[in-house]
Amino acid sequence: MDRLQLVRESLTRKVEEPKGPSCKTSDYFGDLVFDRKKMAQYLEPGTLQALYSCMEGGTSLDSKTADGVALGMKKWAMEHGVTHVTHWFQPLTEGTAEKHDSLIDYDGKGGVIETFDGKMLAQQEPDASSFPSGGIRATFEARGYTAWDPTSPVFILDDTLCIPTVFISYTGDALDYKTPLKRALKAVSDAAVPVCKLFDSKVTKVYSYLGWEQEYFLVDEALYSARTDLMLTGRTLFGHNSSKDQQLDDHYFAAIPTRVAAFMRDLEFAAYHLGIPLKTRHNEVAPGQFEMAPIFGETNLANDQNQLIMNLMNRIAPRHGFVVLLHEKPFDGVNGSGKHNNWSLGTDTGTLLMAPGKDAKGNLQFITFFVNTLAAVQKHNGLLKASIASATNAHRLGANEAPPAIVSAFLGQTMTQVLRKLLEVPSDTPIEIAGKKGKKLGLVEIPEIFLDNTDRNRTSPFAFTGNRFEFRAVGSSANCAGAMTTLNAAVAEQLLQFKEDVDQELAAGKPLNVAVMDTLKPIIRSVLDVICFEGNGYSEEWKKEAARRGLNVETNVPKMICEFTRPESLQMFTRTGVYSERELTARNEVKWEIYVKKVQIEARVMYRMAVNHIIPAAVEYKTALLKEVALSQQVYGNQDNCVTELQLLSLLDKHINSVRLQAQAMKEACDKAEAIGNTYEQALAFHEVAESFPALRRPIDKLEELVDNKLWPLPKYRELLFIN
C-alpha cells in the first residue's frame, strides 16, 4: 500500500504512522497539496508563469490559463484516485462549506469520461440564500459565486479535490471570511510598502504572518453521547465542579496520555500530508485540555490551514473514542480554550518588521511599525474586541484564565523603557542594539538578546512577545480571519495616516530620521498613556482605570458588535477597501442573529433538561427517601431515626422548586425575546436570557450533590474531565 493511499484511509480509520528512515516527515510533507513543486511538474511553462503572475502580482486568471492549470491539476489528482471536486469556502456560519461534484460527464458515445476544465476550477455557483447574509441575499435571490483563490493551494481530502475559494453574492458583496481577509492583506501591504521604502527602496510587498495556537478539549465519545447539552451546544450547561480539577497545576505540560498521544500522531500524520506544519503539542492547564500550534505562515494560508485542522480533528477523534470540544468554555470552573493569534509583518526582502533591525536605520523602521501597530490598536480597541466577540467566547473572556474584555497592550519592561527614552532624547538620536556597537552618550539601546527581554502577561489581550504581537482574546472555535481582517485593516489605516504625516515633515526639509521621530513621538506619548498596561488585567482597579483612559469596557456582546458600524470603523474599513458599509451592516445582522440562535438553543436545552432529566431524577430520589421515612415510622413509631432523610427531603424540595421556577421564568423570557422583530433588540433580550442561566444552574448543581449517584442522569465532571 503506497503512502498516499494510506493517508486517505487514515482520515476514516486509525492509522499508525510507519516508522523507519524512509518515513521522515519531510519525505511526505505536502504530498496531497498542489504546491509549487507540483505546479512545476504538471503545468506547461507558459501556464506556470501566468499562474505565478496571478499568485504574486495579482493579475487576473484568464480562461486559457485556467484551462491549462485545470489540465495539469486533473492529471495530478487522478493519479491519486480523485473522483470528485469541490469549491471549499468559509461562509458566515463560522465553519467551512463544500459541495462535491463528480468529475464524470457524458462522452457522446453512451458512456462517461472524467472532465475538469478551467471553468470548474475558477468558478461555481452555490445557493447564496441558504447561508447567512444579513439581508444581502433573500430566499428568492439565490445566486452567489465561489471563485478560486490561487494564493491558497488546492488539496486532496479523501477522494475529493478541494479548491479554496472566496464566496460572494450576485451583487459582488462578500458573504464569507476569506474575501475581506484578502482585501485586508492587500490593504496592509499597500499601506506598508511606502513606509518601508523610507528605509529600503527594494521593498515591493509586505506580508502579514499568522501563527495560531489551537486549544481544545477531548472527552470520551460515550460520555459525550450521554450529555444532551454537550451534543447540542458544545458545552456543559450544568455540572458541579469536580473535587479535583486543575488546582494542583499537575496537568499543564505533563506527560500526554497514551490515547491522546495516539490521536495527536494520527492528526499530525494527516496534517503533514496536507501541508500543515504542526510544530507543538502539549497538555494545557485544565484536565482533558490540550494545545497544538504550527510554524508561522502567511496569514491567508495559515487561516485556511486552521479551518482545515479543525475539520480533521473532528474526523479523526472518533477513531480514538474521543469527541473534540472547540467551545471556548465547555466546563465551568476550569480554564476555557482560546486560539492565540500571533501576528507580524515582513517584507519580500526578508525583513521582519516587528523585530529590531541590523543597524540604526533598521531599528528606526522597527520602532515605526511597532508604534503604529499600537496606535491602531488604541484607536480601534473596541472594534478589535468586537472582532472576537461571540456568545461562546463571552463565557471565557475575563474568567481569570483569559484576557479581560478590555483590549490593552503589554510591551514588557524593555520596550516600555525604550519608548520612554525615545521621548526624552533628540529626534536624531540613533537607536542601536546594545552590545553590537560602542556605547555613545544619549544612545537609545535595545538589548541584543531581545526575545528573552519581554516577560509574559497572561491577562493582556494584545501582548508583544519579542518579534510579534500575540492577540490572545481570539476564541477556540473562531475563524481567525475575523480578528486578522480587523487588525490588518486597522494597521493599514494607521500606516496611511503616518505616511501622510511623515511626508509633511520631509517637505519641511527635515532629515528622514528626524521626520520619522517627530511624527512618532506624539503617538508614543499617547499609546503609553492609553493602550499600554503592564499590570493585572483582572483587577477591578484596571476596569475603572481603563474606563478613565477611554478604552472600551463593554461586556454585552450584542452591544460590542455595534462597533463595526461606528463612524470611525466605517471610515477605516471603507478607506482601506476591506468592507463596504452595506457589508458591515449585513455582518452585524448576521452576528446578532447567530448570537440569538446560540443563546436560544442553550435556553431550550437547559429548560428541557431541567424538566425532563433533572427534576424527574430528583423526584425519584425524593420518592425513595419518603418511602424510607414511611417505613421507619412503621417500624419505630416516630421519625427520630430519619433526621438525615428529612433534612435531605427539605433540601430536595427547596432546590426542585427553585429549578421549576427558574426554568419557567427563563422560558417566559425566551418567549418574549422570540417575539421581538428587530434583530439587535432581540439580541439584547437574549443577552438578558443568557444572564439568567446561572440562576437555573445553581440549584441543579446543588441537586447533583444531593441525589443518589446511581439516579443522576448525566455524566459528571469527574468523569468527563479525566482521560484514562
Side-chain angles (χ1 to χ4, degrees):
M1 181 183 297
D2 65 41
R3 180 169 291 280
L4 294 175
Q5 184 179 353
L6 187 65
V7 73
R8 282 195 293 274
E9 291 195 11
S10 79
L11 299 178
T12 56
R13 66 175 178 83
K14 179 179 177 181
V15 175
E16 292 294 336
E17 183 175 352
K19 304 296 188 295
S22 63
C23 295
K24 300 191 306 292
T25 302
S26 57
D27 289 341
Y28 61 88
F29 184 83
D31 275 352
L32 296 180
V33 179
F34 195 67
D35 52 21
R36 288 177 180 259
K37 182 179 179 180
K38 314 291 194 320
M39 292 175 189
Q41 182 180 351
Y42 287 88
L43 301 184
E44 295 294 331
T47 300
L48 181 64
Q49 290 306 314
L51 180 57
Y52 282 173
S53 295
C54 178
M55 294 168 59
E56 298 168 357
T59 60
S60 59
L61 189 73
D62 61 79
S63 58
K64 180 180 178 181
T65 301
D67 283 336
V69 174
L71 183 65
M73 198 177 286
K74 174 190 170 187
K75 181 180 179 182
W76 168 73
M78 292 189 65
E79 287 176 2
H80 301 310
V82 165
T83 59
H84 288 69
V85 62
T86 184
H87 274 200
W88 185 79
F89 58 103
Q90 302 168 30
L92 300 180
T93 56
E94 300 183 353
T96 59
E98 51 196 68
K99 176 176 70 74
H100 296 199
D101 290 320
S102 171
L103 294 178
I104 64 169
D105 201 354
Y106 285 120
D107 65 357
K109 302 175 183 178
V112 295
I113 59 173
E114 284 77 14
T115 63
F116 182 63
D117 58 19
K119 185 176 181 181
M120 294 177 67
L121 168 64
Q123 183 175 306
Q124 289 186 10
E125 186 181 327
D127 183 351
S129 68
S130 299
F131 293 100
S133 68
I136 287 178
R137 295 276 83 188
T139 302
F140 60 89
E141 297 173 323
R143 198 178 298 278
Y145 300 104
T146 53
W148 178 35
D149 171 17
T151 63
S152 190
V154 170
F155 58 91
I156 295 172
L157 196 58
D158 295 336
D159 62 355
T160 303
L161 185 68
C162 300
I163 303 169
T165 62
V166 297
F167 180 37
I168 60 173
S169 72
Y170 178 71
T171 53
D173 297 296
L175 297 176
D176 65 344
Y177 281 99
K178 180 183 275 283
T179 301
L181 177 62
K182 288 183 67 65
R183 292 172 182 168
L185 298 179
K186 181 180 185 302
V188 78
S189 179
D190 290 347
V193 166
V195 177
C196 287
K197 284 185 176 295
L198 295 172
F199 308 97
D200 182 359
S201 61
K202 297 178 182 178
V203 174
T204 61
K205 190 170 184 177
V206 168
Y207 298 95
S208 168
Y209 294 105
L210 167 64
W212 42 264
E213 302 171 27
Q214 180 71 61
E215 295 175 341
Y216 60 97
F217 280 84
L218 291 174
V219 295
D220 280 297
E221 191 173 23
L223 297 176
Y224 170 86
S225 299
R227 295 275 319 207
T228 304
D229 49 359
L230 272 181
M231 288 194 295
L232 297 183
T233 73
R235 75 180 181 112
T236 53
L237 300 173
F238 313 118
H240 195 277
N241 292 349
S242 172
S243 300
K244 177 186 182 298
D245 44 54
Q246 68 183 49
Q247 64 265 53
L248 295 178
D249 298 320
D250 56 345
H251 188 259
Y252 191 47
F253 281 18
I256 299 172
T258 302
R259 285 176 60 204
V260 177
F263 159 73
M264 289 176 170
R265 286 195 298 271
D266 204 0
L267 177 62
E268 289 173 352
F269 183 57
Y272 290 153
H273 277 274
L274 291 166
I276 304 173
L278 295 182
K279 181 73 171 178
T280 301
R281 64 188 187 197
H282 63 83
N283 289 7
E284 254 299 335
V285 174
Q289 186 184 35
F290 308 93
E291 180 180 304
M292 75 180 84
I295 301 171
F296 279 44
E298 187 275 326
T299 297
N300 179 48
L301 176 58
N303 185 65
D304 283 357
Q305 291 174 340
N306 181 246
Q307 291 296 299
L308 181 54
I309 203 72
M310 290 194 289
N311 291 341
L312 290 176
M313 292 167 73
N314 287 321
R315 294 164 64 114
I316 292 171
R319 294 205 302 274
H320 299 269
F322 291 128
V323 172
V324 173
L325 300 181
L326 292 172
H327 193 289
E328 282 73 15
K329 191 72 173 177
F331 302 104
D332 190 47
V334 298
N335 278 21
S337 295
K339 178 152 49 194
H340 302 174
N341 279 204
N342 294 277
W343 171 87
S344 62
L345 297 174
T347 71
D348 56 354
T349 60
T351 299
L352 294 177
L353 297 173
M354 294 300 164
K358 298 178 181 179
D359 52 28
K361 194 172 186 179
N363 287 327
L364 182 58
Q365 178 177 254
F366 156 65
I367 291 294
T368 295
F369 280 91
F370 180 81
V371 170
N372 277 290
T373 297
L374 294 172
V377 173
Q378 176 178 318
K379 181 176 181 180
H380 296 291
N381 68 94
L383 179 61
L384 283 167
K385 182 168 66 175
S387 75
I388 53 87
S390 68
T392 54
N393 206 21
H395 297 291
R396 167 179 165 262
L397 295 182
N400 282 354
E401 85 263 356
I406 302 169
V407 174
S408 62
F410 173 80
L411 310 186
Q413 184 178 14
T414 299
M415 284 310 302
T416 299
Q417 291 177 348
V418 167
L419 293 188
R420 293 197 184 284
K421 189 169 183 179
L422 286 171
L423 293 177
E424 300 170 357
V425 299
S427 295
D428 60 353
T429 303
I431 307 173
E432 300 288 2
I433 303 294
K436 289 199 173 181
K437 291 191 177 182
K439 195 168 184 179
K440 301 175 183 177
L441 184 64
L443 191 73
V444 177
E445 293 183 322
I446 302 175
E448 185 175 359
I449 309 174
F450 195 77
L451 293 181
D452 295 329
N453 275 308
T454 174
D455 200 352
R456 289 179 176 267
N457 185 332
R458 297 189 63 82
T459 72
S460 176
F462 197 79
F464 183 64
T465 57
N467 59 359
R468 61 191 182 274
F469 283 97
E470 184 179 14
F471 193 9
R472 300 185 62 251
V474 184
S476 174
S477 65
N479 188 316
C480 299
M484 289 296 96
T485 297
T486 301
L487 177 58
N488 282 285
V491 172
E493 179 202 39
Q494 175 60 30
L495 291 173
L496 289 172
Q497 185 60 55
F498 173 80
K499 182 59 167 58
E500 291 178 6
D501 295 342
V502 167
D503 286 345
Q504 290 182 6
E505 298 291 334
L506 292 172
K510 294 182 180 179
L512 174 63
N513 59 337
V514 175
V516 169
M517 281 309 307
D518 282 353
T519 306
L520 285 176
K521 281 185 174 181
I523 303 176
I524 293 172
R525 290 190 186 93
S526 180
V527 297
L528 287 174
D529 289 342
V530 179
I531 197 67
C532 297
F533 178 65
E534 309 293 299
N536 181 7
Y538 298 151
S539 68
E540 290 300 318
E541 292 77 12
W542 167 235
K543 295 176 184 177
K544 297 175 183 177
E545 172 63 15
R548 186 194 67 77
R549 294 187 186 191
L551 296 176
N552 186 296
V553 296
E554 183 60 66
T555 58
N556 182 309
V557 170
K559 290 182 179 179
M560 288 183 198
I561 294 168
C562 294
E563 287 289 318
F564 279 97
T565 50
R566 289 179 68 238
E568 296 86 349
S569 303
L570 282 171
Q571 181 180 3
M572 182 270 287
F573 282 127
T574 54
R575 183 183 183 187
T576 55
V578 173
Y579 290 116
S580 67
E581 183 173 354
R582 171 182 163 92
E583 288 171 333
L584 284 170
T585 301
R587 280 164 193 266
N588 276 14
E589 287 289 321
V590 170
K591 288 177 180 291
W592 288 323
E593 183 180 356
I594 290 175
Y595 180 88
V596 164
K597 290 178 178 178
K598 288 197 172 183
V599 176
Q600 183 185 59
I601 290 169
E602 287 194 348
R604 290 175 177 176
V605 172
M606 287 189 82
Y607 177 80
R608 291 166 185 171
M609 288 183 70
V611 171
N612 297 330
H613 293 72
I614 307 303
I615 290 178
V619 169
E620 184 177 357
Y621 183 50
K622 175 183 173 182
T623 301
L625 288 174
L626 286 170
K627 290 179 179 179
E628 174 68 23
V629 171
L631 183 61
S632 293
Q633 192 169 10
Q634 290 177 13
V635 173
Y636 299 109
N638 57 58
Q639 297 179 350
D640 293 343
N641 293 315
C642 304
V643 175
T644 299
E645 291 89 336
L646 291 171
Q647 289 177 341
L648 282 172
L649 283 168
S650 176
L651 289 172
L652 286 171
D653 281 336
K654 173 185 174 182
H655 296 315
I656 290 171
N657 192 49
S658 179
V659 170
R660 180 181 61 81
L661 292 174
Q662 294 295 341
Q664 188 59 37
M666 184 187 68
K667 186 177 184 301
E668 291 172 0
C670 280
D671 291 342
K672 290 181 181 178
E674 288 168 1
I676 299 173
N678 179 275
T679 310
Y680 175 57
E681 295 298 328
Q682 189 178 52
L684 290 176
F686 270 102
H687 173 76
E688 295 303 315
V689 172
E691 292 289 290
S692 73
F693 288 172
L696 175 55
R697 178 172 186 152
R698 279 191 293 270
I700 291 177
D701 289 353
K702 291 291 185 182
L703 286 172
E704 183 183 320
E705 290 189 285
L706 297 175
V707 172
D708 187 337
N709 189 64
K710 295 190 297 291
L711 299 177
W712 193 251
L714 306 173
K716 298 182 178 182
Y717 273 25
R718 65 171 182 258
E719 299 158 330
L720 290 164
L721 285 171
F722 296 94
I723 295 171
N724 295 320

